[in-house]
Amino acid sequence: MDANKDKGDQGMQNPGGQMDRPAGFHFSESMLPKAVKRRVHALKRLQVQCANIEAKFYEEIHELERKYAALYQPLLDKRRDIVTGTVEPTDEECEWHSDREDEEQLAAEVKEKAAIEDAKKEEAMPEEDPKGIPEFWLTIFKSVDMLSDMLQEHDEPILKHLKDIQVRFSEPGQPMSFTLEFHFEPNGYFNNAVLTKVYKMKSEPDASEPFSFEGPEIIDCEGCQIDWHKGKDVTVKTIKKKQKHKGRGTVRTVTKQVPNDSFFNFFNPIKASPGVEMDEESEFTLATDFEIGHFFRERIIPRAVLYFTGEALEDDESFEEEELEEGDEEEQDEEGDDDDDDDEGDLDPKKEQPQPAECKQQ
């Protein structure tokens, strides 16, 4: 036991011949010799220069996104036309071979019997030919947890009129941003043909915290005014309250409007005032808004059909399960290490717990 302990102690020694570091040791720059600290400061200056170059890299990535968005757009326009029924795809365009169909192929006899039964049912029922793909976007909203949490029952009839969602990137020379456009067909709820949400971004290190830079971040967002038809605004609800006059004792009924939960509050986001600290609830609401905007841009818009069929949901769930399994394995490894440490009795079994990363709002 003593031999192993001596061997372990030698392994913990540092090249500078300093004293062994105890368990839970935290390195501090102040512990460095003055000459070494001076060189570390030079490395930090280099690190800031690296962060500035990285910021330029992400600016060029944004330009590439804008360039390729123009190449994607004709395909996304065709998708919109098929969804709305403006265009009927050709037989060739509708050909699609699914591996799943091969896996689930029935025996020839069963397939033939099923075909006969289907033919009988089709003869008995009137032929339906709905226009386009009904409730395409509403189905996506109801299927994706992040969006369904925002969705209210009174929102659904409105979202049946949603024709398309598009993303537009800022023009060259303009501040970095992207705009989500929600295109609606004429409806009985509001006059707007397009509802917009602009997400403003920053791709430069913070002067006060340059080492926190990890790429472009959303720093603010701006919605739009919805021109609701009279009595159709689902973001407010009307309540009636009875008020009693203190002197005369008479009672009157007062009607007033109060905020109402609705997806369409998405277009009236919380505003971050410069120099004014937000409360915790507002910070969380704004951070969630940023996350939703990013999710629309990165996932929903480019892969809409796969969210409609549920295939993208399965991929997302599989990815989350893999991450969880990896985390479990790491936790088990750490527990195993604790057991080894306890057996040797060399290290303090108390370990400092990792702190959650803060969500910083600009």
Side-chain angles (χ1 to χ4, degrees):
M1 184 73 174
D2 291 340
N4 290 335
K5 188 176 188 298
D6 292 340
K7 191 174 181 180
D9 288 344
Q10 291 173 4
M12 292 179 66
Q13 292 177 356
N14 61 46
Q18 297 178 1
M19 294 179 61
D20 295 340
R21 296 176 179 178
F25 174 84
H26 291 280
F27 175 79
S28 173
E29 188 179 323
S30 62
M31 300 173 66
L32 294 172
K34 186 176 180 179
V36 177
K37 189 188 301 184
R38 178 174 172 274
R39 294 167 196 141
V40 169
H41 290 171
L43 296 185
K44 285 188 174 181
R45 287 177 64 88
L46 293 175
Q47 188 62 43
V48 171
Q49 293 177 49
C50 288
N52 288 325
I53 292 174
E54 186 180 6
K56 296 297 182 184
F57 165 78
Y58 284 114
E59 287 178 4
E60 292 197 22
I61 290 293
H62 186 73
E63 288 302 308
L64 275 177
E65 284 186 304
R66 191 179 62 81
K67 172 185 174 182
Y68 277 87
L71 300 179
Y72 288 131
Q73 198 56 51
L75 302 177
L76 299 181
D77 289 344
K78 184 71 174 287
R79 179 181 73 182
R80 176 203 59 212
D81 292 342
I82 292 174
V83 166
T84 58
T86 305
V87 168
E88 183 62 34
T90 65
D91 291 341
E92 182 180 357
E93 291 174 328
C94 293
E95 287 182 5
W96 181 257
H97 179 75
S98 172
D99 293 336
R100 186 175 298 179
E101 291 175 0
D102 292 340
E103 295 170 3
E104 299 174 354
Q105 187 174 13
L106 299 173
E109 295 178 1
V110 178
K111 285 178 64 178
E112 184 178 354
K113 182 178 179 181
I116 294 173
E117 292 296 326
D118 289 342
K120 291 180 180 179
K121 290 179 181 178
E122 288 179 3
E123 289 177 3
M125 296 175 59
E127 183 178 352
E128 294 185 7
D129 186 13
K131 183 180 179 182
I133 303 178
E135 301 183 13
F136 179 80
W137 292 104
L138 176 58
T139 301
I140 294 172
F141 271 68
K142 295 168 74 172
S143 301
V144 178
D145 289 342
M146 186 181 292
L147 303 183
S148 64
D149 289 343
M150 306 165 62
L151 190 65
Q152 305 297 320
E153 187 175 349
H154 47 254
D155 295 326
E156 295 186 18
I158 307 176
L159 289 173
K160 290 180 180 180
H161 297 282
L162 180 58
K163 298 191 300 182
D164 197 20
I165 307 177
Q166 299 180 7
V167 60
R168 305 289 185 191
F169 295 95
S170 53
E171 295 296 326
Q174 297 295 319
M176 186 182 293
S177 68
F178 67 91
T179 302
L180 299 178
E181 297 181 348
F182 294 74
H183 294 251
F184 286 84
E185 62 188 12
N187 60 81
Y189 297 91
F190 48 73
N191 292 318
N192 311 64
V194 183
L195 300 182
T196 60
K197 183 78 169 282
V198 180
Y199 285 89
K200 302 175 183 179
M201 305 177 70
K202 182 183 77 169
S203 181
E204 60 183 26
D206 192 313
S208 60
E209 297 181 1
F211 304 132
S212 65
F213 180 72
E214 294 183 350
E217 60 179 335
I218 298 173
I219 57 173
D220 197 11
C221 57
E222 186 176 320
C224 68
Q225 184 72 34
I226 302 179
D227 185 14
W228 294 99
H229 292 171
K230 186 176 180 180
K232 296 295 185 177
D233 186 350
V234 294
T235 64
V236 295
K237 60 182 176 181
T238 303
I239 61 172
K240 294 182 179 180
K241 294 183 67 176
K242 291 184 177 180
Q243 294 181 342
K244 186 176 182 180
H245 194 280
K246 292 181 179 179
R248 296 191 296 271
T250 56
V251 178
R252 67 174 183 175
T253 300
V254 177
T255 301
K256 66 176 184 177
Q257 289 187 328
V258 296
N260 192 28
D261 290 338
S262 168
F263 163 73
F264 291 92
N265 289 321
F266 179 69
F267 300 97
N268 185 28
I270 292 176
K271 297 298 293 180
S273 301
V276 179
E277 188 173 345
M278 302 179 70
D279 58 62
E280 188 175 343
E281 183 178 352
S282 297
E283 281 190 356
F284 177 79
T285 302
L286 194 58
T288 302
D289 191 313
F290 292 173
E291 184 180 0
I292 292 169
H294 184 76
F295 192 70
F296 268 117
R297 166 190 166 179
E298 294 291 330
R299 307 285 291 175
I300 297 294
I301 294 176
R303 308 181 72 208
V305 66
L306 301 181
Y307 281 98
F308 177 79
T309 62
E311 293 166 84
L313 297 173
E314 294 173 5
D315 291 343
D316 290 346
E317 289 170 1
S318 299
F319 181 72
E320 289 172 3
E321 288 174 3
E322 286 176 7
E323 280 191 331
L324 182 61
E325 288 171 3
E326 290 174 2
D328 289 343
E329 288 174 3
E330 290 175 4
E331 186 175 346
Q332 289 171 5
D333 290 342
E334 290 174 2
E335 290 174 356
D337 292 341
D338 289 345
D339 292 341
D340 293 341
D341 294 340
D342 291 341
D343 290 341
E344 293 185 8
D346 293 335
L347 300 177
D348 186 349
K350 295 181 180 178
K351 291 193 172 182
E352 184 174 296
Q353 297 298 319
Q355 297 299 316
E358 293 184 0
C359 179
K360 179 185 174 186
Q361 301 299 334
Q362 296 290 327

